[in-house]
Amino acid sequence: EAQVTQNPRYLITVTGKKLTVTCSQNMNHEYMSWYRQDPGLGLRQIYYSMNVEVTDKGDVPEGYKVSRKEKRNFPLILESPSPNQTSLYFCASSLVGRSSYNSPLHFGNGTRLTVT
Amino acid sequence: SQQGEEDPQALSIQEGENATMNCSYKTSINNLQWYRQNSGRGLVHLILIRSNEREKHSGRLRVTLDTSKKSSSLLITASRAADTASYFCAILYSGGGADGLTFGKGTHLIIQP
């Protein structure tokens, strides 16, 4: 089944303890992206990747890192989480990025992160 | 960030009625997409309309795009309880800047049985 898989589904951690949220897609998509969703703010893009070893900042990149060493994986890293990073996080992928203009995004089921 | 703005923020209708939600944006676009999100789950792509298209249909969904008014509408006909969800417009803007879609804040639709 074609899907985007995020892990974990729920995560509670403490301020400053490094964490990684994994994302994997099995559709051979070139483009992958991370979003956070907060009440009243909608979805905001954190980082995106047009292809392997190509990553760039979205609208709210501060406090986050990403890597794209393989096409299928795009982990989100919080080196020193803070309470304002408590949010619902989504990974998404599409066949290609901006260049095709017409590739819909496929979303994972989300990771609910709480930082205390 | 140039978010699209959905209107209304929330909508409650009876099962069987039609639901209409709107999205407005600010500058020229390449395409506009609509997504559905069931409570706390990932978004699901519904329909994509290109800037040179005016109307598209998919099952009970009808999307229109008016580039002169910089707005789009999503119509769900003969609504069902399973249509209860949040609906987001997502805009791919023309020109440079950060890649990717810009999402609105969503319309929360409740279908009363």
Side-chain angles (χ1 to χ4, degrees):
Chain A
E1 182 190 350
Q3 58 185 1
V4 178
T5 303
Q6 290 178 235
N7 279 298
R9 186 85 169 90
Y10 299 92
L11 180 56
I12 301 173
T13 190
V14 296
T15 299
K17 187 176 181 182
K18 181 179 178 180
L19 66 91
T20 299
V21 184
T22 63
C23 175
S24 180
Q25 50 91 7
N26 63 359
M27 296 169 280
N28 202 34
H29 284 174
E30 288 186 358
Y31 179 89
M32 298 186 74
S33 182
W34 277 102
Y35 294 86
R36 61 178 288 174
Q37 185 177 30
D38 302 288
L41 297 176
L43 273 85
R44 295 178 292 168
Q45 190 179 45
I46 303 170
Y47 269 94
Y48 64 93
S49 170
M50 297 290 282
N51 213 324
V52 177
E53 302 290 1
V54 181
T55 63
D56 212 339
K57 297 176 181 178
D59 295 319
V60 288
E62 294 77 20
Y64 305 95
K65 285 174 60 176
V66 292
S67 68
R68 187 90 183 274
K69 293 185 171 60
E70 306 163 279
K71 199 171 188 177
R72 64 183 293 128
N73 295 322
F74 191 45
L76 179 69
I77 303 156
L78 284 72
E79 295 268 1
S80 183
S82 63
N84 64 12
Q85 292 178 298
T86 292
S87 187
L88 179 57
Y89 291 86
F90 289 102
C91 180
S93 72
S94 69
L95 189 59
V96 290
R98 172 176 282 276
S99 60
S100 80
Y101 296 152
N102 294 310
S103 297
L105 284 170
H106 298 257
F107 281 81
N109 277 328
T111 295
R112 189 169 292 280
L113 172 65
T114 302
V115 184
T116 60
Chain B
S1 178
Q2 303 179 76
Q3 280 184 310
E5 291 188 17
E6 287 96 340
D7 173 60
Q9 287 187 338
L11 178 63
S12 180
I13 61 173
Q14 295 295 123
E15 195 167 18
E17 294 180 338
N18 295 340
T20 299
M21 53 207 89
N22 304 295
C23 173
S24 60
Y25 56 91
K26 291 190 167 62
T27 62
S28 62
I29 66 172
N30 280 307
N31 69 55
L32 186 147
Q33 303 177 29
W34 286 91
Y35 288 80
R36 183 187 74 232
Q37 182 182 33
N38 291 97
S39 180
R41 309 289 289 186
L43 281 72
V44 174
H45 180 259
L46 295 176
I47 203 162
L48 181 153
I49 188 164
R50 298 181 180 86
S51 59
N52 61 352
E53 297 175 318
R54 292 297 166 259
E55 186 171 314
K56 286 191 84 169
H57 297 256
S58 177
R60 294 184 295 112
L61 306 181
R62 173 179 169 248
V63 168
T64 61
L65 179 65
D66 187 335
T67 52
S68 66
K69 294 181 180 177
K70 294 186 172 55
S71 68
S72 173
S73 67
L74 170 67
L75 168 68
I76 303 174
T77 59
S79 63
R80 305 168 181 168
D83 294 328
T84 293
S86 291
Y87 292 82
F88 294 85
C89 69
I91 298 158
L92 186 65
Y93 284 100
S94 303
D99 189 85
L101 296 174
T102 302
F103 285 83
K105 296 178 183 179
T107 292
H108 185 49
L109 175 65
I110 298 171
I111 308 299
Q112 310 272 9

